[in-house]
Amino acid sequence: MICLTHLELCPHCKRIALKVCEYDEPYPRVEAECQCCGYRVQDKPMTLGKEDFKAILDKLGNKMVGSCCLDDRCGSRRVIKLLSEGSYTEFRCLDCGAEWNTDELKKAIQRVKNAQTSIKNGNRLLNVLKAGEGECPLCGWDIGHLHSGYAVVVECFVCGYHNIVEESIPNIDLTTLNCPDYEYSEEPG
């Protein structure tokens, strides 16, 4: 894991003292700590146990047979088959309009099973979760790119994987803070 570091504006003390560390692996993520006031933000992966994997695989199985919408944010059971040829089927949710097919879900299920097997074999979770920008690190679905402050937020609406963003705001009086090495940002206007 290579960390690309640079200084940015701290959201707490408003000085250009936030040391931001950007990682590409196992998925794009950010850790940041203010060199002046001590503000910190980082993300941690979701803990995945035996029961978590079982629940995720059950959920993906229900979506593969079309018994519920692909998108957890919708959760509708009003799903129709658009096309069915052999083992390939396409579905559409009548409430939100989401469309998916069984081939895409088979790939997602296989990625989850591979991760489960790797963890059973003693690998660490962060060595198993691999994803590009905007992908779910567990099932591989394209979920987009969200931020919470400087942290990257992962919330997969297909398998339910999510990370935990931890933000630590220091309990100090900013008027007594003395950091001559780090200047305030310029005020516009």
Side-chain angles (χ1 to χ4, degrees):
M1 289 192 310
I2 298 170
C3 168
L4 299 173
T5 59
H6 54 279
L7 289 179
E8 291 190 20
L9 177 69
C10 175
H12 186 64
C13 70
K14 307 296 186 225
R15 294 177 189 255
I16 302 172
L18 188 71
K19 184 178 179 184
V20 177
C21 189
E22 297 183 28
Y23 295 99
D24 281 338
E25 292 183 1
Y27 53 87
R29 60 192 188 92
V30 172
E31 291 179 3
E33 182 174 4
C34 183
Q35 305 299 297
C36 182
C37 70
Y39 168 85
R40 289 178 50 103
V41 66
Q42 65 182 357
D43 79 299
K44 297 206 177 199
M46 173 182 174
T47 56
L48 291 168
K50 186 178 179 180
E51 293 301 315
D52 297 312
F53 276 112
K54 183 181 181 318
I56 289 169
L57 290 170
D58 285 347
K59 179 192 294 192
L60 292 175
N62 286 334
K63 293 174 180 184
M64 193 161 94
V65 296
S67 66
C68 62
C69 179
L70 174 77
D71 194 331
D72 288 343
R73 299 169 295 191
C74 171
S76 175
R77 297 223 174 262
R78 294 176 5 111
V79 175
I80 61 168
K81 282 184 185 177
L82 296 175
L83 176 70
S84 185
E85 293 179 0
S87 66
Y88 177 84
T89 308
E90 291 180 1
F91 299 100
R92 176 184 289 150
C93 174
L94 294 174
D95 290 330
C96 73
E99 291 187 10
W100 67 97
N101 65 56
T102 51
D103 286 353
E104 293 169 331
L105 276 168
K106 284 177 187 174
K107 287 178 191 171
I109 289 170
Q110 192 56 51
R111 272 189 69 154
V112 173
K113 285 181 177 179
N114 290 345
Q116 183 180 28
T117 303
S118 293
I119 290 171
K120 278 183 186 174
N121 291 338
N123 290 313
R124 292 185 46 223
L125 183 62
L126 282 179
N127 293 339
V128 173
L129 299 177
K130 302 282 184 198
E133 189 168 337
E135 289 180 347
C136 172
L138 184 60
C139 74
W141 209 271
D142 185 8
I143 56 173
H145 195 73
L146 300 171
H147 281 275
S148 173
Y150 289 91
V152 177
V153 177
V154 177
E155 290 181 11
C156 184
F157 55 85
V158 177
C159 73
Y161 177 85
H162 62 278
N163 64 350
I164 298 122
V165 174
E166 292 181 351
E167 185 177 47
S168 172
I169 299 172
N171 187 15
I172 57 170
D173 184 5
L174 293 178
T175 58
T176 63
L177 198 61
N178 186 17
C179 302
D181 295 340
Y182 302 103
E183 60 190 52
Y184 286 102
S185 67
E186 293 181 16
E187 294 287 326

